[in-house]
Amino acid sequence: MRSIEYSQKDILIFNGVINLIKGGANPYLITVSEIAASAGVGKGTIYDYFESKEEVIKKAILFNFNNEIDYFYKKIATKKGFKEKYYEIFNSIVENLQNKFSTVNILMTLGKLPEFHISEKQDSCEFNKHILRIQAIIDDLLVSGYKEGIIKKIESQYYQNMVIKSSLFSFTNYMSMQMIYKETSVKEAMDAAYKIVIKSLN
Amino acid sequence: MRSIEYSQKDILIFNGVINLIKGGANPYLITVSEIAASAGVGKGTIYDYFESKEEVIKKAILFNFNNEIDYFYKKIATKKGFKEKYYEIFNSIVENLQNKFSTVNILMTLGKLPEFHISEKQDSCEFNKHILRIQAIIDDLLVSGYKEGIIKKIESQYYQNMVIKSSLFSFTNYMSMQMIYKETSVKEAMDAAYKIVIKSLN
Amino acid sequence: MRSIEYSQKDILIFNGVINLIKGGANPYLITVSEIAASAGVGKGTIYDYFESKEEVIKKAILFNFNNEIDYFYKKIATKKGFKEKYYEIFNSIVENLQNKFSTVNILMTLGKLPEFHISEKQDSCEFNKHILRIQAIIDDLLVSGYKEGIIKKIESQYYQNMVIKSSLFSFTNYMSMQMIYKETSVKEAMDAAYKIVIKSLN
Amino acid sequence: MRSIEYSQKDILIFNGVINLIKGGANPYLITVSEIAASAGVGKGTIYDYFESKEEVIKKAILFNFNNEIDYFYKKIATKKGFKEKYYEIFNSIVENLQNKFSTVNILMTLGKLPEFHISEKQDSCEFNKHILRIQAIIDDLLVSGYKEGIIKKIESQYYQNMVIKSSLFSFTNYMSMQMIYKETSVKEAMDAAYKIVIKSLN
DNA sequence: AATGAATGAGCATTCATTCAT
DNA sequence: GATGAATGAATGCTCATTCAT
């Protein structure tokens, strides 16, 4: 099932990268020295485990993406009702957006990250897996809504999907641009995003 | 009224940058030599007009942003009804998304671009102007919808705004991720996005 | 007699260079733009009158040297007695040393300046002329001293010459290193330098 | 006691610089590539040990200065009498002046070298140390002369100092300008310089 | 296995020089 | 004549990568 297994050292290095990015570093401007220092290993060690700087950063980002989706998935699974799950997502977004680099940012820019030159087959495959996992979260949500009668499943799969994504986009956009939405509280933004789902799916 | 006037040469250089980015180049990896070659000027000339590589790229991006919003604005203004305007936006998105780098991408990631280290007052101010212009487009749209009775203005300003942005996000997301939405046609994606607006604002 | 005639424009440009150097600029780090700005001419104009930046700076320095020696010579000629002439030199040194770049500095480092790559015949010839003019000043001084019986001309020409140069060196060294001779006044330094001459030539 | 310790690599690089300068290179025109080649290291290595090209050159010059003064000091200390010491200095000057860049040149232009932008506290302090060491040499000389009765210590400290410096200047000037003193032999120049001291201090 | 000193290719930037106006 | 916009060769400096230890 697990397509990629990483060694302890791999993960140590990934965390070096992730911490830099979470600390505000621009992935394109990170140096190998910084990664080595952040990971607490020698520069040479990085090249014992990876082919190039690009590979390290790319894999670290995907690794982190994976982990955050796992975490996201589990958190949502703890909640039972549609609305509870939905607001749990909002809370995760709030929590997550403290980091400059978060799954949420990725969910939002869905498909933007691969700009980090995802070209090789391996990467592309990895990326598809992420999409599927996000899809699973959305599907889980839709199922809940359907069961509870909140959603009347008369719409197309695509439409339902997009409603969820759009709604989440609205909240993420609020969070990341809070400075231009000074008159709206977090609670109001959550409610607005939720209202979009409810109205759009009825 | 115009806060910044650029010389012919400035614009020539901007276009060099813009063409590189539209051709798929990553703004962070562009070299001065590439800009010079793309603009058809000597490397030194760039430094006669700008302080640093960063300045050139940053200003070129903002310049292009400005121009595309102008173009967008004018195209939408030619249409009369709410639905016509809305579908004109969809068309502009389609047209625009051929470019890797488009206003639409920016609309979508609203607030993401400043990652190119927009920190100085000047830049920050420029950025605010862009936000206001996008807001003007959305307001114009809302006014049309209201006049035609498509929108019952009982919702908050924030909510209405977010509905529009979310709906547009859904279509932009479709366009930029077409590879994962193979079973949905462009027409269907437009209709779905439009349906989100209609349902959410009623 | 005059081996080199300079045009008004030549001199204008020379003064641009001289002013920069007197203002503390390092001859090796001066740019053509700076010279042009300082001289109040266009950069291209400089190349209408000279072959290269090096030529401009080299000739400007020699030109200034020439002028300052003229000035020096005339000032000393106004005084009659040996001691008066000698103290007039001291005064000129004081006056001159305000400038970072002065004949005095050159007198002191006699033979050091040509480091500015004096290699061509022309330059070398020019340089010899300067040496001869300095020699003339020293000879004039010696003649006065002899006439007044202050100097008993029993020493070799070389020795007499060196005594004068050494004595002047001592005062110039005092002036340019005043910060390390805080306990000695200008007057005392002059008197010390004069005493060296008197004692050495008797 | 030692205020600055340099690593082997530091010194390797310093020697690269020193050899270039001794070979006639102008400190202001030396390139990093030249230093690297001369030191037999990669260009990057230089930046592992120093902040900038300027720093390397400045420190190399001071380092060399230090070493040469050490050498000078030791050579003179081997001689016993005043006259022997004095002529030993002459010999060192002769030996030294083969180099374009020598302690002697510095002794002569005492205070001129800092033109290489010695501004920071560290540099200024370093420079003061050099002055003190030169002073120590002169003092040692004066003590010998006094003990032997060659000098009657009735003159001021400043005067005695300047006599020595002036006398040494005369010989250094002779050496560096030998081309204009063709009729005077090295021996005669030494004797003349010595005579200046003897006469001035009696 | 792990390191970090060493390297040099690569890039931003400067500036002497040219030349169209 | 005079100019200064334009150029690109030259150079300081960085940093991914290697390799001796």
Side-chain angles (χ1 to χ4, degrees):
Chain A
M1 210 64 180
R2 310 264 74 223
S3 56
I4 298 174
E5 286 301 335
Y6 290 118
S7 72
Q8 297 276 164
K9 212 32 100 43
D10 286 333
I11 292 168
L12 185 66
I13 294 168
F14 286 161
N15 284 330
V17 175
I18 299 308
N19 288 334
L20 286 170
I21 297 177
K22 288 194 171 167
N26 178 321
Y28 286 105
L29 305 180
I30 289 175
T31 68
V32 175
S33 294
E34 284 167 346
I35 296 173
S38 173
V41 300
K43 247 185 310 171
T45 305
I46 290 169
Y47 287 88
D48 289 339
Y49 292 85
F50 301 93
E51 294 286 313
S52 69
K53 183 183 77 157
E54 273 231 319
E55 189 196 334
V56 183
I57 296 176
K58 203 158 56 186
K59 288 195 171 162
I61 288 173
L62 291 171
F63 174 77
N64 179 251
F65 199 176
N66 235 359
N67 288 346
E68 294 210 4
I69 289 178
D70 274 353
Y71 175 72
F72 225 84
Y73 190 84
K74 280 169 194 156
K75 262 192 98 179
I76 293 158
T78 64
K79 300 295 170 177
K80 284 304 161 199
F82 177 78
K83 191 168 182 178
E84 285 72 29
K85 280 177 190 284
Y86 219 87
Y87 276 76
E88 186 61 27
I89 292 180
F90 291 149
N91 287 325
S92 296
I93 288 171
V94 171
E95 183 186 299
N96 232 295
L97 226 47
Q98 318 296 24
N99 310 329
K100 290 248 170 189
F101 174 68
S102 65
T103 304
V104 159
N105 269 322
I106 288 156
L107 257 172
M108 189 177 97
T109 57
L110 219 62
K112 291 279 106 190
L113 212 47
E115 273 173 6
F116 208 88
H117 296 306
I118 289 191
S119 46
E120 298 142 61
K121 272 158 284 178
Q122 165 95 42
D123 296 328
S124 172
C125 159
E126 265 294 286
F127 184 64
N128 280 334
K129 274 196 346 234
H130 295 310
I131 304 244
L132 291 177
R133 301 182 69 193
I134 290 166
Q135 195 56 54
I137 293 174
I138 293 174
D139 288 346
D140 177 67
L141 219 46
L142 289 168
V143 166
S144 292
Y146 184 66
K147 276 189 194 149
E148 297 173 33
I150 289 168
I151 302 170
K152 280 81 180 171
K153 204 194 203 161
I154 42 174
E155 307 288 356
S156 74
Q157 186 63 36
Y158 171 81
Y159 178 75
Q160 292 181 359
N161 243 291
M162 271 307 182
V163 167
I164 303 283
K165 286 182 183 172
S166 296
S167 155
L168 293 180
F169 164 81
S170 84
F171 186 65
T172 307
N173 183 253
Y174 167 82
M175 287 301 296
S176 64
M177 302 284 290
Q178 243 170 328
M179 78 290 291
I180 69 165
Y181 297 122
K182 294 197 193 81
E183 290 166 28
T184 305
S185 70
V186 176
K187 178 71 172 60
E188 285 164 347
M190 287 179 178
D191 294 344
Y194 189 69
K195 191 195 282 186
I196 290 174
V197 180
I198 298 306
K199 292 197 121 183
S200 296
L201 293 180
N202 278 299
Chain B
M1 212 65 180
R2 313 263 72 225
S3 55
I4 299 176
E5 286 302 333
Y6 289 117
S7 71
Q8 299 271 168
K9 205 41 87 55
D10 285 334
I11 293 169
L12 183 68
I13 294 169
F14 285 161
N15 285 331
V17 175
I18 299 308
N19 289 333
L20 286 170
I21 297 177
K22 287 193 173 168
N26 178 319
Y28 286 105
L29 306 180
I30 290 175
T31 67
V32 175
S33 293
E34 283 167 350
I35 296 172
S38 172
V41 300
K43 236 177 331 157
T45 304
I46 290 169
Y47 288 90
D48 287 341
Y49 293 85
F50 301 94
E51 295 284 314
S52 68
K53 185 183 74 156
E54 272 230 320
E55 190 197 334
V56 183
I57 296 177
K58 202 160 54 185
K59 289 195 171 161
I61 289 174
L62 291 172
F63 174 77
N64 180 252
F65 198 175
N66 235 1
N67 288 347
E68 295 210 3
I69 289 179
D70 273 352
Y71 176 72
F72 225 83
Y73 191 84
K74 280 169 194 155
K75 265 193 93 181
I76 293 157
T78 64
K79 300 296 170 178
K80 283 304 160 198
F82 177 78
K83 191 168 184 178
E84 284 73 30
K85 280 176 188 285
Y86 220 88
Y87 276 76
E88 186 60 29
I89 293 179
F90 290 149
N91 286 325
S92 295
I93 289 172
V94 171
E95 185 184 296
N96 232 295
L97 226 47
Q98 317 297 23
N99 311 329
K100 289 247 169 191
F101 173 69
S102 63
T103 304
V104 159
N105 268 321
I106 289 155
L107 258 172
M108 190 179 98
T109 57
L110 220 62
K112 290 279 106 190
L113 210 47
E115 275 173 4
F116 207 85
H117 297 308
I118 290 189
S119 45
E120 299 140 62
K121 271 157 285 175
Q122 164 95 40
D123 296 329
S124 172
C125 160
E126 267 293 286
F127 184 63
N128 280 333
K129 277 200 340 238
H130 295 310
I131 304 242
L132 291 177
R133 300 181 70 193
I134 290 168
Q135 195 57 54
I137 294 175
I138 292 174
D139 288 345
D140 177 67
L141 219 45
L142 289 169
V143 166
S144 292
Y146 184 66
K147 276 189 194 148
E148 296 173 33
I150 290 169
I151 300 170
K152 282 75 177 176
K153 204 192 202 162
I154 41 171
E155 307 288 356
S156 73
Q157 187 64 36
Y158 171 80
Y159 178 74
Q160 291 180 2
N161 243 291
M162 272 308 184
V163 167
I164 303 281
K165 286 182 183 173
S166 296
S167 154
L168 292 179
F169 165 81
S170 84
F171 184 66
T172 306
N173 183 254
Y174 167 82
M175 286 301 296
S176 66
M177 302 285 290
Q178 245 171 326
M179 78 292 288
I180 68 166
Y181 297 121
K182 294 200 194 79
E183 290 164 30
T184 305
S185 70
V186 174
K187 179 72 173 60
E188 286 164 347
M190 286 181 181
D191 293 344
Y194 188 69
K195 191 195 283 187
I196 290 174
V197 181
I198 299 304
K199 292 197 121 183
S200 296
L201 294 181
N202 279 299
Chain C
M1 208 64 180
R2 310 263 74 223
S3 56
I4 297 175
E5 285 303 332
Y6 289 118
S7 73
Q8 298 276 166
K9 212 32 102 41
D10 285 333
I11 293 168
L12 184 66
I13 294 168
F14 286 161
N15 284 330
V17 175
I18 298 308
N19 289 333
L20 286 169
I21 297 177
K22 288 194 173 169
N26 179 321
Y28 287 104
L29 305 180
I30 289 175
T31 68
V32 175
S33 295
E34 284 166 348
I35 296 172
S38 172
V41 301
K43 246 187 307 171
T45 305
I46 289 169
Y47 287 88
D48 289 341
Y49 292 85
F50 301 93
E51 294 286 314
S52 69
K53 184 183 77 158
E54 273 230 320
E55 190 197 334
V56 183
I57 296 176
K58 203 158 55 185
K59 289 195 170 160
I61 289 174
L62 291 172
F63 173 77
N64 179 252
F65 198 177
N66 236 0
N67 289 345
E68 295 210 2
I69 290 178
D70 273 353
Y71 175 73
F72 225 84
Y73 191 84
K74 281 169 194 154
K75 262 192 97 181
I76 294 157
T78 63
K79 301 294 170 178
K80 284 304 160 199
F82 177 79
K83 190 167 184 179
E84 284 72 29
K85 280 176 191 283
Y86 219 88
Y87 275 76
E88 186 60 28
I89 292 181
F90 291 148
N91 286 325
S92 297
I93 289 172
V94 171
E95 184 186 297
N96 232 295
L97 226 46
Q98 318 296 23
N99 310 328
K100 290 248 170 191
F101 173 68
S102 63
T103 305
V104 159
N105 269 320
I106 289 157
L107 258 171
M108 189 179 100
T109 57
L110 222 60
K112 289 279 106 189
L113 210 49
E115 274 173 5
F116 207 85
H117 296 307
I118 290 191
S119 45
E120 299 142 61
K121 272 156 284 174
Q122 164 96 42
D123 296 328
S124 173
C125 160
E126 265 295 286
F127 183 64
N128 280 332
K129 275 201 342 241
H130 295 309
I131 304 245
L132 290 177
R133 301 182 69 194
I134 290 167
Q135 195 57 56
I137 293 175
I138 293 174
D139 288 345
D140 177 68
L141 218 45
L142 289 169
V143 166
S144 292
Y146 184 66
K147 276 188 194 149
E148 298 173 32
I150 291 169
I151 302 170
K152 281 77 176 176
K153 204 191 202 165
I154 42 173
E155 308 288 356
S156 73
Q157 185 66 35
Y158 171 81
Y159 178 75
Q160 291 180 0
N161 243 292
M162 271 307 183
V163 166
I164 303 283
K165 285 183 184 171
S166 296
S167 154
L168 293 180
F169 164 81
S170 84
F171 184 65
T172 307
N173 183 253
Y174 167 82
M175 286 302 295
S176 65
M177 301 286 289
Q178 245 170 326
M179 78 291 289
I180 69 165
Y181 296 122
K182 294 197 194 80
E183 290 165 29
T184 305
S185 70
V186 177
K187 179 71 173 60
E188 285 164 347
M190 286 181 181
D191 293 344
Y194 189 69
K195 192 195 281 187
I196 290 175
V197 181
I198 299 304
K199 292 196 123 182
S200 296
L201 294 180
N202 279 298
Chain D
M1 212 63 181
R2 312 263 74 224
S3 56
I4 298 175
E5 286 301 334
Y6 289 117
S7 73
Q8 300 272 168
K9 205 44 85 57
D10 286 333
I11 293 169
L12 184 67
I13 294 168
F14 286 160
N15 285 330
V17 175
I18 299 307
N19 289 334
L20 286 170
I21 297 177
K22 287 194 172 167
N26 178 320
Y28 286 105
L29 304 180
I30 289 175
T31 69
V32 175
S33 294
E34 284 167 349
I35 295 172
S38 172
V41 301
K43 233 172 342 150
T45 305
I46 289 169
Y47 288 90
D48 288 341
Y49 293 86
F50 302 93
E51 295 285 314
S52 67
K53 185 183 75 157
E54 272 232 320
E55 189 196 334
V56 184
I57 296 176
K58 202 159 55 185
K59 288 195 170 161
I61 289 174
L62 290 172
F63 174 77
N64 179 253
F65 198 175
N66 234 1
N67 289 346
E68 295 209 4
I69 290 178
D70 274 352
Y71 175 72
F72 225 84
Y73 190 85
K74 281 169 194 155
K75 264 191 93 179
I76 294 157
T78 63
K79 300 296 170 177
K80 284 303 160 201
F82 177 78
K83 190 169 184 179
E84 285 73 29
K85 279 176 190 286
Y86 219 88
Y87 276 77
E88 187 59 29
I89 292 179
F90 292 147
N91 286 324
S92 296
I93 289 172
V94 171
E95 185 185 296
N96 232 295
L97 225 48
Q98 317 297 23
N99 310 328
K100 289 248 171 191
F101 174 70
S102 63
T103 303
V104 160
N105 269 321
I106 288 154
L107 257 172
M108 191 179 95
T109 57
L110 219 62
K112 291 279 106 188
L113 211 47
E115 275 173 6
F116 207 86
H117 297 307
I118 290 190
S119 45
E120 298 141 63
K121 270 158 285 177
Q122 166 94 45
D123 296 329
S124 171
C125 159
E126 266 293 287
F127 184 63
N128 280 334
K129 275 197 346 234
H130 294 312
I131 304 239
L132 291 177
R133 301 181 69 193
I134 291 166
Q135 194 57 54
I137 294 175
I138 293 174
D139 289 344
D140 176 67
L141 219 46
L142 289 169
V143 167
S144 292
Y146 184 67
K147 276 188 194 149
E148 296 172 32
I150 291 168
I151 302 171
K152 281 81 178 171
K153 204 193 204 161
I154 41 174
E155 309 288 355
S156 73
Q157 186 64 36
Y158 170 81
Y159 178 75
Q160 291 181 0
N161 244 290
M162 272 307 184
V163 167
I164 302 283
K165 285 182 184 173
S166 297
S167 154
L168 292 178
F169 164 81
S170 84
F171 184 66
T172 306
N173 183 253
Y174 167 82
M175 286 302 296
S176 65
M177 301 286 289
Q178 244 170 327
M179 79 291 289
I180 69 166
Y181 297 120
K182 295 199 192 79
E183 290 165 30
T184 305
S185 70
V186 175
K187 178 72 173 62
E188 285 164 346
M190 287 180 181
D191 293 343
Y194 189 69
K195 191 195 284 187
I196 290 173
V197 180
I198 298 305
K199 293 196 120 184
S200 297
L201 295 180
N202 278 299

